[in-house]
Amino acid sequence: MALFVVFQTTFFLTLLSLRTYQSEVLAERLPLTPVSLKVSTNSIHQSLHLQWTVHNLPYHQELKMVFQIQISRIETSNVVWVGNYSTTVKWNQVLHWSWESELPLECATHFVRMKSVMDDASFPEPNFWSNWSSWEEVSVQDSLGRGILFVFPKDKLVEEGSNVTICYVSRNIQNNVSCYLEGKQIHGEQLDPHVTAFNLNSVPFIRNRGTNIYCEASQGNVSKGIEGIVLFVSKVLEEPKDFSCETQDFKTLHCTWDPGTDTALGWSKQPSQSYTLFESFSGEKKLCTHKNWCNWQITQDSQETYNFTLIAENYLRKRSVNILFNLTHRVYLMNPFSVNFENVNATNAIMTWKVHSMRNNFTYLCQIELHGEGKMMQYDVSVKVNGEYFLSELEPATEYMARVRCADASHFWKWSEWSGQNFTTLEAAPSEAPDVWRSVNSEPGNHTVTLFWKPLSKLHANGKILFYNVVVENLDKPSRSELRSIPAPANSTKLILDRCSYQICVTANNSVGASPASIIVISVDPENKEVEEERIAGTDGGFSLSWKPQPGDIIGYVVDWCDHPQDVLQWKNVGPNTTSTVISTDAFRPGVRYDFRIYGLSTKRIACLLEKKTGYSQELAPSDNPHVLVDMLTSHSFTLSWKDYSTESQPGFIQGYHVYLKSKARQCHPRFQKAVLSDGSECCKYKIDNPEEKALIVDNLKPESSYEFFVTPFTSAGEGPNATFTKVTTPDEHSSMLIHILLPMVFCVLLIMIVCYLKSQWIKETCYPDIPDPYKSSILSLIKFKENPHLTIMNVSDCIPDAIEVVSKPEGTKIQILGTRKSLTETELTKPNYLYLLPTEKNHSGPGPCICFENFTYNQAASDSGFCGHVPVSPKAPPSMLGLMTSPENVLKALEKNYMNSLGEVPAGETSLNYVSQLASPMSGDKDSLPTNPVEPPHCSEYKMQMAVPLRLALPRPTENSSLSSITLLDPGEHYR
Amino acid sequence: MKEERVVPLLLVLHWKHGAGSPLPITPVNATCAIRHPCHNNLMNQIRSQLAQLNGSANALFILYYTAQGEPFPNNLDKLCGPNVTDFPPFHANGTEKAKLVELYRIVVYLGTSLGNITRDQKILNPSALSLHSKLNATADILRGLLSNVLCRLCSKYHVGHVDVTYGPDTSGKDVFQKKKLGCQLLGKYKETIAVLAQAF
C-alpha cells in the first residue's frame, strides 16, 4: 500500500513538473506569428492564394490555431474582407488558403495581412493574438499589356440568378467609357479614376453561347475602341427527380431518374452535368453514361438492402438524391406470357396465362382487364405460376380484348407490362323483336303495304342477322299464313293485300335462331280518316310535336315522317302515356318541309292516323320568284297575275307577296308604301298577306307612262331573290277610243268587200259587162231615133266563128329561139304564117261557135281549165309534135317540162297583128295549112282581156325549125326561165 | 535559280485548322520541284479563283459578324475594321512575279487565320452550320489557289522559296477577343481579296 502511495505521488509530481516545463517553454516562444506570407492570384477563378508558415512552433507538435485574415482593396485602409481560418498547424508546415474576390483582381490592387492565435484546449488561458503580419500587396494591372481599355472578368462562368461584378480599366482618364449588356447600357461605380465596377444582380440565362458585355471608350463623339467579355451563364443544376431502382431478374438493378435541365454551355465552357451512382453499403460507385438511367449489377446474393446516392454534378454545383430500399420490394415483373382463352361460348370464356418465375414460393397478384362493347371490366386474381380466370356475363358474338398484368403480391412495387389477346364470343338468338312500321297505299281492291324495320342493335342482334321472316296472316278469312324470308341487310318489303285485315309478324334471324316477333295489323281501311294538317315550327334541335290523348286502349303512339332528300320513311315509337315528343335528327335540313303523321296503336296492333303536322326545321327565303303576267293593260291600270306559282314547293311557308312598283312619279299610289331597295333606290311596295292571292290590279296610273314592277314572295325568313323589274307602259288614252271606232269600220269594209266578191258577177254584169248589150246601149236609142228605126241588132249567137290572121313579114327579121338561139332567118319564110285558133265551120261539131282571144300578157292560159286552142310548145319541139300536143295529155306533159315560161326572143320587126273581123268569111286556103286538127272549142263564148300588142311583138312562125309555143313575149335579149 | 529555295508543298499538307506553328525548315539546297505538271492555263485559274473568293467574301463576312451577336453587327467599323497589323502587303503595280509572291504570302496568311476562325466557331457556335460551310468552302478555294500560285511561281519563275508569315494564334485569347480578331481578319480578307481580284 505504501508502495502504491509512493508510486502515485511520484507520478503526479512528474506530470506536474512536465506540465510546468511545457508551459514555460511555450510561454517563452509565444506569440506564434504567421510569417513568410506570400499572395498569388488566379485570374480564372478570381482568387487570391495565400501561403504562410508559423514560427515558434514546438518540434513535432500539432497545435490548433486560428488565423485572422484581412483583405483590403485599392488601399490598406479599405478593408473589404475579414475572416478567421482555423486549422491544426504542425511544425514547419506551409499553410494555404484561398479567397475568391467578387471584383476581378485585374481591376484593383489588393492587400492582405493576418494574425494568429492558439486555440488549443491543451493549453490554458489566456491566449492572445499575435501581431499583424505586414501588408502584402497584389496587383495585376501592370501585366495587362498595351491597350486603352480592358474589361474583366474574361469568359467567366456563373450560375443563372447569381450576382456578378464586372469592371473595366481605362488607361486614359480622358476617355468616356460606356458599357452595355446585350445592347443595354449598364451603370457602375467608379473605384478610382481608371476603374469602374458594375454589379450585375441575378444575371439571366440568355443563350448557351454566352452573353456579350462590351465597353466603348470615346472622346466626344470619336470612338477610341471597343472591348468586351463573354459571360457564360449556366442554368441552375436541378436535383434529379423520380429517382428509383428496380429489378426484373434479381441480377441487375435498373435505376432511372428525371435529369431536368441540361446545363451544357457552348465554347466547351461547361459540359452537360454528369451523374454518378454510389451505393453506401458496398462502397461502390459507378459513373453513369446516360443522363437519365443507369444499370447496377447485383453481385452479392446476400445483399438485400441497398442505399443508393445519385450525384448530379457540373462545374458550378453538385446535387444528390438518396434512396434506401430492400431488393425484394423493388421487383418489377416481366409481363405475363402464353395468354389463351378456353371454352369460349356465347356468354363466358376461361382465360389462362403464365408468369415468369422469380424465386420459389412467390405469389403474384394479377390484374385482368376486359374490354368490349366500349366497356371495361377489371378483375384481380392471385396466382402462383399459372394463372386462370373465368370470364362470365359476356355478350354474344362480341369481340373482346382481355389483358393481364402481374406484380409481387407480398411487396407490391409496380405492375408489369400488359399481355393481352382478343377473342370473340359465339352467337345467340336475337333477343329483341325488330322495330317495324309500315306505310299503306290504298288502291281500289287492295292495299300496297310497305313494311319497314330497323336493324337490331348489336346488343340485341347477338350475331350477324342473316334474314328477316315476314309472316302474313289473313284475319278475316281462315287461310294458310304466307311466309317470306328477306335476306339482310334489307330493311323493307312490299306486300299487296286485298281488302281484308291482316296480321303481319316480322322476326330477325341469325345463325342460331329467330328473334321475338314484331306484330303489326293492317285493318280493312287503314288510312280512311281525313285529318287536317297543322303547321308547326321547327328549331335547330328538331321538331317538338304534341297531340291530343286518345280515348280507349292505346298501347303506344308512332310518329313517322320522311327524310329528305333520301325520302326514307322514319318513325319513332312513343309510349301510351306520352302525348308529346321531340323529333331531333341531324338529317333535318333547312328549307325542307317535313310532314309528320301521328298514329295511335290499339291493343289489336292496328295503327290509326290521329294528326298530321308539317313544318320546316328552319324556314328559308323563297328560292324563286313567280312568273308574272301583265293583263288588262289600259291607260290607267293593268293587272299582274302569277297563278302558276306554287307555294308548296318553297323552302318556307309563303306568307304573301311583295309587289314593288317604280314610276317616275314621286308619290306612291294608294295602298302602296314607300320602300328602299337593296341598291338604295326608292320604289313603292304593296304587301299581299294571302299566299293564295296571286293577282293584283294596279290602277290609278297615268296614260303613256312607264312603270316597272317586281313581285316576290316572302316567308318568315325573308323575300325571294332579287330580280330585275319588268317594264310596262300604259297606252294613250285616245288610242282605245280609236280602236273602238276603227274596228267596226274595218269590219264593215271587210263585209262590203266580201259581199262584193260574192256578187262580183252580178255587179260586173250590171255595172261593166264585158260585151255590152247592144239592146241596152244608149246609142241604140239614138240610132233608132235618128237614122233607121228598123235597124236590128245581130245576136252574138248568130255569128259565124272567126279567125285571127296573123301576118308576119319575114324580110329583115330575125327570130331567135330561146335555148337554141338559132336564127330564124336561116329558114326561108316565103309564106305568111297563119295561126288558126279556131276550126272552120266544116270541122265545127260543137253546139255553137266559140271565140277565144288570148291576152298575151296573161300567162295562165295553159293552166286554165278552159283550154282555148293555143298550144304551148317547147321551143325545140318540131312542128310535127304540135299535133300531139294538142291533146290535154300532151299539154300536161309540156307543162311538166316547164316550157310554159320558155320564151323565144322575138325581135322587133314588121310582124303585125291583123284583126279579122268576126263577120269576115274564113279563108278556104288556110284550111290546108293547118298542121293539126284544131282543138274543139268549148261550148262557151269566152273573151279574155284583150290588150293592144305592140307591133314589135309577134309570135314566132311555126317553121320546121321553130316551134309555136311562146305565150309571154319579152324584150329582145332578156331570157327568163 | 537553284539559290531560290524551297517549298511549301509541305505547307499545304500541314495546313490544318489551327495551324499556327512555323513550317519545318526547308533544306537550303532544296530545288523547286513540283510533283505534278502544272495546268496550262494557270493564270486564268488563279484569276477565276480570286473572282470566286471575291464573290463570296462579303457573304462570309456578314454570316460571321451576325453569328457573333451584339455588339458586332452594329459596330463593324470599331470591332471588325481591317486593323490587321502584320498582314502581308500587296502592290498591284508590281511585276507578275512580285505580285504572285505577295499573293502567295497573303494566301498563306489567310489560310492559317481562316483555320483558326473555323476551329473557334465550331466550338462557340456549333449550330451555325451555314457559317461553318462557308468557312470550309473558302478555305478549300484558298488551298487550290495556293497550289496554283506555287505552280506558277515554280514553273515560270522558278521561285522555290517564299518567306511567309502566319495569322495570329488565337488559342490563348478570351472568347470576345477571338470573335473580334476573327471579325477583323474577315474584314481585311474581304478588302484584300477585292484588290487581288482586280490586280490579276
Side-chain angles (χ1 to χ4, degrees), chain A residues 154-155 182-183 209 212-214 216 223 226-230 232 266-268, chain B residues 67-71 75 78-79 120 123-125 174-180:
Chain A
K154 303 285 186 190
D155 305 342
E182 287 293 314
R209 288 181 282 122
N212 289 337
I213 299 171
Y214 63 97
E216 181 175 13
S223 174
I226 291 179
E227 289 298 334
I229 58 167
V230 178
F232 290 92
W267 201 245
S268 302
Chain B
Q68 308 316 308
E70 275 302 321
N75 294 278
K78 299 161 198 167
L79 289 167
D120 291 345
I123 298 169
L124 181 63
N125 282 320
D174 65 78
V175 175
F176 195 86
Q177 284 300 314
K178 284 175 181 170
K179 290 180 175 183
K180 189 176 170 183

mmCIF file of all heavy atoms in Angstrom, chain A residues 154-155 182-183 209 212-214 216 223 226-230 232 266-268, chain B residues 67-71 75 78-79 120 123-125 174-180:
data_model
loop_
_atom_site.group_PDB
_atom_site.id
_atom_site.type_symbol
_atom_site.label_atom_id
_atom_site.label_comp_id
_atom_site.label_asym_id
_atom_site.label_seq_id
_atom_site.Cartn_x
_atom_site.Cartn_y
_atom_site.Cartn_z
ATOM 1 N N LYS A 154 -12.748 37.804 -67.808
ATOM 2 C CA LYS A 154 -12.837 37.172 -69.118
ATOM 3 C C LYS A 154 -13.513 35.802 -68.993
ATOM 4 O O LYS A 154 -13.157 35.014 -68.116
ATOM 5 C CB LYS A 154 -11.437 36.962 -69.700
ATOM 6 C CG LYS A 154 -10.611 38.222 -69.821
ATOM 7 C CD LYS A 154 -11.077 39.070 -70.975
ATOM 8 C CE LYS A 154 -10.151 40.269 -71.189
ATOM 9 N NZ LYS A 154 -10.716 41.238 -72.142
ATOM 10 N N ASP A 155 -14.480 35.552 -69.850
ATOM 11 C CA ASP A 155 -15.108 34.218 -70.010
ATOM 12 C C ASP A 155 -15.542 33.614 -68.680
ATOM 13 O O ASP A 155 -15.353 32.423 -68.419
ATOM 14 C CB ASP A 155 -14.140 33.246 -70.715
ATOM 15 C CG ASP A 155 -13.665 33.797 -72.036
ATOM 16 O OD1 ASP A 155 -14.317 34.721 -72.556
ATOM 17 O OD2 ASP A 155 -12.644 33.305 -72.541
ATOM 18 N N GLU A 182 -25.974 43.097 -73.631
ATOM 19 C CA GLU A 182 -26.980 42.760 -74.645
ATOM 20 C C GLU A 182 -27.626 44.021 -75.216
ATOM 21 O O GLU A 182 -28.837 44.103 -75.375
ATOM 22 C CB GLU A 182 -28.051 41.837 -74.058
ATOM 23 C CG GLU A 182 -27.594 40.429 -73.826
ATOM 24 C CD GLU A 182 -27.279 39.656 -75.111
ATOM 25 O OE1 GLU A 182 -28.087 39.728 -76.037
ATOM 26 O OE2 GLU A 182 -26.209 39.033 -75.176
ATOM 27 N N GLY A 183 -26.767 45.007 -75.504
ATOM 28 C CA GLY A 183 -27.256 46.222 -76.139
ATOM 29 C C GLY A 183 -27.801 47.258 -75.162
ATOM 30 O O GLY A 183 -28.065 48.380 -75.556
ATOM 31 N N ARG A 209 -24.406 30.065 -75.718
ATOM 32 C CA ARG A 209 -23.186 30.563 -76.355
ATOM 33 C C ARG A 209 -22.589 31.735 -75.591
ATOM 34 O O ARG A 209 -21.584 32.298 -76.002
ATOM 35 C CB ARG A 209 -23.491 31.010 -77.781
ATOM 36 C CG ARG A 209 -23.741 29.851 -78.700
ATOM 37 C CD ARG A 209 -24.006 30.310 -80.097
ATOM 38 N NE ARG A 209 -25.359 30.812 -80.267
ATOM 39 C CZ ARG A 209 -25.647 32.019 -80.689
ATOM 40 N NH1 ARG A 209 -24.695 32.876 -80.969
ATOM 41 N NH2 ARG A 209 -26.903 32.396 -80.823
ATOM 42 N N ASN A 212 -22.587 38.631 -74.564
ATOM 43 C CA ASN A 212 -21.559 39.652 -74.831
ATOM 44 C C ASN A 212 -21.787 40.867 -73.944
ATOM 45 O O ASN A 212 -22.895 41.420 -73.906
ATOM 46 C CB ASN A 212 -21.616 40.102 -76.292
ATOM 47 C CG ASN A 212 -21.117 39.041 -77.239
ATOM 48 O OD1 ASN A 212 -20.349 38.162 -76.854
ATOM 49 N ND2 ASN A 212 -21.553 39.104 -78.481
ATOM 50 N N ILE A 213 -20.734 41.262 -73.212
ATOM 51 C CA ILE A 213 -20.767 42.530 -72.464
ATOM 52 C C ILE A 213 -19.590 43.342 -72.986
ATOM 53 O O ILE A 213 -18.459 42.843 -73.039
ATOM 54 C CB ILE A 213 -20.622 42.289 -70.951
ATOM 55 C CG1 ILE A 213 -21.779 41.414 -70.452
ATOM 56 C CG2 ILE A 213 -20.588 43.609 -70.192
ATOM 57 C CD1 ILE A 213 -21.602 40.938 -69.030
ATOM 58 N N TYR A 214 -19.848 44.544 -73.408
ATOM 59 C CA TYR A 214 -18.752 45.304 -74.004
ATOM 60 C C TYR A 214 -18.782 46.750 -73.533
ATOM 61 O O TYR A 214 -19.834 47.274 -73.129
ATOM 62 C CB TYR A 214 -18.812 45.235 -75.535
ATOM 63 C CG TYR A 214 -20.047 45.846 -76.137
ATOM 64 C CD1 TYR A 214 -20.045 47.154 -76.623
ATOM 65 C CD2 TYR A 214 -21.231 45.124 -76.222
ATOM 66 C CE1 TYR A 214 -21.173 47.714 -77.178
ATOM 67 C CE2 TYR A 214 -22.367 45.674 -76.773
ATOM 68 C CZ TYR A 214 -22.336 46.964 -77.256
ATOM 69 O OH TYR A 214 -23.455 47.524 -77.795
ATOM 70 N N GLU A 216 -17.211 50.735 -74.541
ATOM 71 C CA GLU A 216 -16.670 51.539 -75.630
ATOM 72 C C GLU A 216 -16.052 52.801 -75.044
ATOM 73 O O GLU A 216 -16.711 53.519 -74.279
ATOM 74 C CB GLU A 216 -17.788 51.906 -76.617
ATOM 75 C CG GLU A 216 -17.269 52.721 -77.795
ATOM 76 C CD GLU A 216 -18.334 52.995 -78.827
ATOM 77 O OE1 GLU A 216 -19.534 52.770 -78.526
ATOM 78 O OE2 GLU A 216 -17.987 53.425 -79.945
ATOM 79 N N SER A 223 -14.952 57.387 -81.358
ATOM 80 C CA SER A 223 -14.757 56.132 -80.653
ATOM 81 C C SER A 223 -13.278 55.778 -80.651
ATOM 82 O O SER A 223 -12.590 55.874 -81.662
ATOM 83 C CB SER A 223 -15.554 55.036 -81.342
ATOM 84 O OG SER A 223 -15.264 53.799 -80.754
ATOM 85 N N ILE A 226 -13.497 49.419 -78.818
ATOM 86 C CA ILE A 226 -14.482 48.622 -78.083
ATOM 87 C C ILE A 226 -13.779 47.385 -77.560
ATOM 88 O O ILE A 226 -13.038 46.719 -78.293
ATOM 89 C CB ILE A 226 -15.655 48.215 -78.993
ATOM 90 C CG1 ILE A 226 -16.501 49.436 -79.356
ATOM 91 C CG2 ILE A 226 -16.525 47.155 -78.326
ATOM 92 C CD1 ILE A 226 -17.671 49.125 -80.267
ATOM 93 N N GLU A 227 -14.004 47.097 -76.312
ATOM 94 C CA GLU A 227 -13.504 45.855 -75.730
ATOM 95 C C GLU A 227 -14.650 45.194 -74.988
ATOM 96 O O GLU A 227 -15.570 45.876 -74.523
ATOM 97 C CB GLU A 227 -12.338 46.122 -74.769
ATOM 98 C CG GLU A 227 -11.054 46.552 -75.449
ATOM 99 C CD GLU A 227 -10.499 45.492 -76.391
ATOM 100 O OE1 GLU A 227 -10.774 44.291 -76.178
ATOM 101 O OE2 GLU A 227 -9.808 45.867 -77.368
ATOM 102 N N GLY A 228 -14.559 43.903 -74.865
ATOM 103 C CA GLY A 228 -15.667 43.233 -74.202
ATOM 104 C C GLY A 228 -15.274 41.894 -73.636
ATOM 105 O O GLY A 228 -14.127 41.449 -73.757
ATOM 106 N N ILE A 229 -16.249 41.291 -73.021
ATOM 107 C CA ILE A 229 -16.079 39.940 -72.472
ATOM 108 C C ILE A 229 -17.307 39.121 -72.839
ATOM 109 O O ILE A 229 -18.329 39.680 -73.242
ATOM 110 C CB ILE A 229 -15.932 39.968 -70.932
ATOM 111 C CG1 ILE A 229 -17.169 40.632 -70.318
ATOM 112 C CG2 ILE A 229 -14.646 40.623 -70.502
ATOM 113 C CD1 ILE A 229 -17.290 40.439 -68.824
ATOM 114 N N VAL A 230 -17.162 37.831 -72.709
ATOM 115 C CA VAL A 230 -18.322 36.949 -72.866
ATOM 116 C C VAL A 230 -18.583 36.309 -71.511
ATOM 117 O O VAL A 230 -17.697 35.672 -70.940
ATOM 118 C CB VAL A 230 -18.080 35.879 -73.933
ATOM 119 C CG1 VAL A 230 -19.287 34.949 -74.040
ATOM 120 C CG2 VAL A 230 -17.811 36.538 -75.277
ATOM 121 N N PHE A 232 -20.528 33.615 -69.433
ATOM 122 C CA PHE A 232 -21.254 32.366 -69.633
ATOM 123 C C PHE A 232 -22.136 32.112 -68.423
ATOM 124 O O PHE A 232 -21.633 31.918 -67.320
ATOM 125 C CB PHE A 232 -20.273 31.212 -69.847
ATOM 126 C CG PHE A 232 -19.563 31.307 -71.153
ATOM 127 C CD1 PHE A 232 -18.336 31.954 -71.272
ATOM 128 C CD2 PHE A 232 -20.126 30.762 -72.295
ATOM 129 C CE1 PHE A 232 -17.692 32.053 -72.486
ATOM 130 C CE2 PHE A 232 -19.482 30.856 -73.516
ATOM 131 C CZ PHE A 232 -18.262 31.507 -73.619
ATOM 132 N N GLY A 266 -21.892 26.458 -74.478
ATOM 133 C CA GLY A 266 -21.038 26.466 -75.654
ATOM 134 C C GLY A 266 -19.603 26.806 -75.279
ATOM 135 O O GLY A 266 -19.273 27.102 -74.115
ATOM 136 N N TRP A 267 -18.799 26.790 -76.297
ATOM 137 C CA TRP A 267 -17.391 27.125 -76.129
ATOM 138 C C TRP A 267 -16.699 26.171 -75.160
ATOM 139 O O TRP A 267 -15.705 26.476 -74.540
ATOM 140 C CB TRP A 267 -17.253 28.572 -75.637
ATOM 141 C CG TRP A 267 -15.910 29.144 -75.913
ATOM 142 C CD1 TRP A 267 -14.987 29.515 -74.980
ATOM 143 C CD2 TRP A 267 -15.323 29.408 -77.165
ATOM 144 N NE1 TRP A 267 -13.865 29.985 -75.569
ATOM 145 C CE2 TRP A 267 -14.050 29.933 -76.933
ATOM 146 C CE3 TRP A 267 -15.756 29.234 -78.479
ATOM 147 C CZ2 TRP A 267 -13.194 30.294 -77.966
ATOM 148 C CZ3 TRP A 267 -14.905 29.602 -79.493
ATOM 149 C CH2 TRP A 267 -13.648 30.124 -79.231
ATOM 150 N N SER A 268 -17.328 24.975 -74.984
ATOM 151 C CA SER A 268 -16.811 23.957 -74.058
ATOM 152 C C SER A 268 -16.633 24.533 -72.663
ATOM 153 O O SER A 268 -15.777 24.094 -71.898
ATOM 154 C CB SER A 268 -15.466 23.412 -74.549
ATOM 155 O OG SER A 268 -15.599 22.875 -75.826
ATOM 156 N N ALA B 67 -23.346 36.024 -86.567
ATOM 157 C CA ALA B 67 -23.315 34.904 -85.626
ATOM 158 C C ALA B 67 -22.669 35.279 -84.301
ATOM 159 O O ALA B 67 -22.860 34.582 -83.299
ATOM 160 C CB ALA B 67 -22.571 33.727 -86.249
ATOM 161 N N GLN B 68 -21.937 36.390 -84.261
ATOM 162 C CA GLN B 68 -21.254 36.737 -83.009
ATOM 163 C C GLN B 68 -22.163 37.483 -82.041
ATOM 164 O O GLN B 68 -21.854 37.596 -80.865
ATOM 165 C CB GLN B 68 -20.017 37.600 -83.290
ATOM 166 C CG GLN B 68 -19.065 37.025 -84.328
ATOM 167 C CD GLN B 68 -18.823 35.539 -84.153
ATOM 168 O OE1 GLN B 68 -18.467 35.077 -83.072
ATOM 169 N NE2 GLN B 68 -19.056 34.766 -85.212
ATOM 170 N N GLY B 69 -23.268 37.989 -82.505
ATOM 171 C CA GLY B 69 -24.193 38.720 -81.638
ATOM 172 C C GLY B 69 -23.733 40.142 -81.412
ATOM 173 O O GLY B 69 -22.674 40.566 -81.889
ATOM 174 N N GLU B 70 -24.582 40.871 -80.706
ATOM 175 C CA GLU B 70 -24.218 42.264 -80.395
ATOM 176 C C GLU B 70 -22.951 42.279 -79.550
ATOM 177 O O GLU B 70 -22.757 41.363 -78.740
ATOM 178 C CB GLU B 70 -25.364 42.942 -79.654
ATOM 179 C CG GLU B 70 -26.425 43.514 -80.573
ATOM 180 C CD GLU B 70 -25.859 44.524 -81.546
ATOM 181 O OE1 GLU B 70 -24.986 45.319 -81.153
ATOM 182 O OE2 GLU B 70 -26.263 44.491 -82.720
ATOM 183 N N PRO B 71 -22.100 43.227 -79.714
ATOM 184 C CA PRO B 71 -22.223 44.487 -80.471
ATOM 185 C C PRO B 71 -21.707 44.405 -81.898
ATOM 186 O O PRO B 71 -21.564 45.428 -82.554
ATOM 187 C CB PRO B 71 -21.354 45.430 -79.661
ATOM 188 C CG PRO B 71 -20.244 44.559 -79.175
ATOM 189 C CD PRO B 71 -20.863 43.222 -78.920
ATOM 190 N N ASN B 75 -21.471 47.542 -84.858
ATOM 191 C CA ASN B 75 -20.225 48.281 -84.621
ATOM 192 C C ASN B 75 -19.114 47.707 -85.487
ATOM 193 O O ASN B 75 -18.010 47.443 -85.018
ATOM 194 C CB ASN B 75 -19.828 48.192 -83.132
ATOM 195 C CG ASN B 75 -20.822 48.913 -82.238
ATOM 196 O OD1 ASN B 75 -20.760 50.115 -82.074
ATOM 197 N ND2 ASN B 75 -21.766 48.162 -81.692
ATOM 198 N N LYS B 78 -15.805 49.587 -85.607
ATOM 199 C CA LYS B 78 -14.974 49.574 -84.400
ATOM 200 C C LYS B 78 -14.455 48.174 -84.090
ATOM 201 O O LYS B 78 -13.351 48.011 -83.577
ATOM 202 C CB LYS B 78 -15.781 50.079 -83.213
ATOM 203 C CG LYS B 78 -16.265 51.502 -83.396
ATOM 204 C CD LYS B 78 -17.415 51.799 -82.457
ATOM 205 C CE LYS B 78 -18.169 53.019 -82.943
ATOM 206 N NZ LYS B 78 -19.453 53.154 -82.250
ATOM 207 N N LEU B 79 -15.260 47.159 -84.373
ATOM 208 C CA LEU B 79 -14.860 45.805 -83.981
ATOM 209 C C LEU B 79 -14.307 44.988 -85.144
ATOM 210 O O LEU B 79 -13.523 44.064 -84.927
ATOM 211 C CB LEU B 79 -16.063 45.065 -83.388
ATOM 212 C CG LEU B 79 -16.514 45.559 -82.026
ATOM 213 C CD1 LEU B 79 -17.875 44.992 -81.683
ATOM 214 C CD2 LEU B 79 -15.520 45.161 -80.961
ATOM 215 N N ASP B 120 -12.503 27.952 -83.980
ATOM 216 C CA ASP B 120 -13.163 28.678 -82.890
ATOM 217 C C ASP B 120 -14.685 28.669 -83.050
ATOM 218 O O ASP B 120 -15.421 28.462 -82.084
ATOM 219 C CB ASP B 120 -12.685 30.130 -82.855
ATOM 220 C CG ASP B 120 -11.226 30.215 -82.414
ATOM 221 O OD1 ASP B 120 -10.711 29.202 -81.883
ATOM 222 O OD2 ASP B 120 -10.615 31.283 -82.615
ATOM 223 N N ILE B 123 -16.557 25.543 -82.139
ATOM 224 C CA ILE B 123 -16.748 25.334 -80.691
ATOM 225 C C ILE B 123 -17.778 26.319 -80.144
ATOM 226 O O ILE B 123 -18.667 25.954 -79.385
ATOM 227 C CB ILE B 123 -15.395 25.510 -79.958
ATOM 228 C CG1 ILE B 123 -14.394 24.458 -80.444
ATOM 229 C CG2 ILE B 123 -15.587 25.408 -78.459
ATOM 230 C CD1 ILE B 123 -12.977 24.712 -79.981
ATOM 231 N N LEU B 124 -17.651 27.558 -80.558
ATOM 232 C CA LEU B 124 -18.510 28.598 -79.972
ATOM 233 C C LEU B 124 -19.926 28.568 -80.543
ATOM 234 O O LEU B 124 -20.905 28.730 -79.808
ATOM 235 C CB LEU B 124 -17.893 29.969 -80.240
ATOM 236 C CG LEU B 124 -18.660 31.154 -79.683
ATOM 237 C CD1 LEU B 124 -18.713 31.089 -78.171
ATOM 238 C CD2 LEU B 124 -18.033 32.467 -80.118
ATOM 239 N N ASN B 125 -20.004 28.376 -81.838
ATOM 240 C CA ASN B 125 -21.315 28.402 -82.498
ATOM 241 C C ASN B 125 -21.555 27.080 -83.201
ATOM 242 O O ASN B 125 -21.565 27.015 -84.438
ATOM 243 C CB ASN B 125 -21.362 29.536 -83.526
ATOM 244 C CG ASN B 125 -21.569 30.871 -82.889
ATOM 245 O OD1 ASN B 125 -22.344 31.006 -81.951
ATOM 246 N ND2 ASN B 125 -20.852 31.866 -83.373
ATOM 247 N N ASP B 174 -9.198 35.319 -75.009
ATOM 248 C CA ASP B 174 -10.539 35.102 -74.471
ATOM 249 C C ASP B 174 -11.546 35.118 -75.611
ATOM 250 O O ASP B 174 -11.238 35.491 -76.744
ATOM 251 C CB ASP B 174 -10.867 36.147 -73.406
ATOM 252 C CG ASP B 174 -10.949 37.535 -73.978
ATOM 253 O OD1 ASP B 174 -11.968 37.850 -74.595
ATOM 254 O OD2 ASP B 174 -9.982 38.323 -73.815
ATOM 255 N N VAL B 175 -12.735 34.706 -75.286
ATOM 256 C CA VAL B 175 -13.742 34.488 -76.335
ATOM 257 C C VAL B 175 -14.049 35.766 -77.096
ATOM 258 O O VAL B 175 -14.163 35.769 -78.326
ATOM 259 C CB VAL B 175 -15.020 33.899 -75.711
ATOM 260 C CG1 VAL B 175 -16.115 33.772 -76.741
ATOM 261 C CG2 VAL B 175 -14.726 32.554 -75.092
ATOM 262 N N PHE B 176 -14.169 36.859 -76.374
ATOM 263 C CA PHE B 176 -14.502 38.116 -77.043
ATOM 264 C C PHE B 176 -13.390 38.516 -78.009
ATOM 265 O O PHE B 176 -13.656 38.981 -79.114
ATOM 266 C CB PHE B 176 -14.731 39.217 -76.003
ATOM 267 C CG PHE B 176 -15.413 40.432 -76.559
ATOM 268 C CD1 PHE B 176 -16.785 40.497 -76.620
ATOM 269 C CD2 PHE B 176 -14.676 41.513 -77.043
ATOM 270 C CE1 PHE B 176 -17.421 41.607 -77.144
ATOM 271 C CE2 PHE B 176 -15.303 42.621 -77.571
ATOM 272 C CZ PHE B 176 -16.690 42.672 -77.612
ATOM 273 N N GLN B 177 -12.141 38.295 -77.574
ATOM 274 C CA GLN B 177 -11.021 38.630 -78.449
ATOM 275 C C GLN B 177 -11.004 37.739 -79.675
ATOM 276 O O GLN B 177 -10.690 38.181 -80.777
ATOM 277 C CB GLN B 177 -9.707 38.473 -77.678
ATOM 278 C CG GLN B 177 -9.429 39.608 -76.714
ATOM 279 C CD GLN B 177 -9.329 40.961 -77.404
ATOM 280 O OE1 GLN B 177 -8.679 41.099 -78.430
ATOM 281 N NE2 GLN B 177 -10.027 41.954 -76.856
ATOM 282 N N LYS B 178 -11.352 36.492 -79.506
ATOM 283 C CA LYS B 178 -11.398 35.582 -80.649
ATOM 284 C C LYS B 178 -12.441 36.050 -81.659
ATOM 285 O O LYS B 178 -12.208 36.053 -82.874
ATOM 286 C CB LYS B 178 -11.740 34.165 -80.181
ATOM 287 C CG LYS B 178 -10.578 33.463 -79.520
ATOM 288 C CD LYS B 178 -11.017 32.123 -78.982
ATOM 289 C CE LYS B 178 -9.842 31.433 -78.305
ATOM 290 N NZ LYS B 178 -10.214 30.240 -77.560
ATOM 291 N N LYS B 179 -13.575 36.423 -81.132
ATOM 292 C CA LYS B 179 -14.634 36.920 -82.025
ATOM 293 C C LYS B 179 -14.148 38.159 -82.766
ATOM 294 O O LYS B 179 -14.364 38.310 -83.975
ATOM 295 C CB LYS B 179 -15.878 37.289 -81.207
ATOM 296 C CG LYS B 179 -16.634 36.117 -80.615
ATOM 297 C CD LYS B 179 -17.836 36.644 -79.851
ATOM 298 C CE LYS B 179 -18.724 35.517 -79.334
ATOM 299 N NZ LYS B 179 -19.925 36.026 -78.658
ATOM 300 N N LYS B 180 -13.514 39.050 -82.005
ATOM 301 C CA LYS B 180 -13.095 40.324 -82.572
ATOM 302 C C LYS B 180 -11.995 40.127 -83.608
ATOM 303 O O LYS B 180 -12.049 40.694 -84.715
ATOM 304 C CB LYS B 180 -12.607 41.216 -81.427
ATOM 305 C CG LYS B 180 -12.332 42.645 -81.799
ATOM 306 C CD LYS B 180 -11.943 43.432 -80.561
ATOM 307 C CE LYS B 180 -11.413 44.806 -80.922
ATOM 308 N NZ LYS B 180 -10.973 45.535 -79.728
#
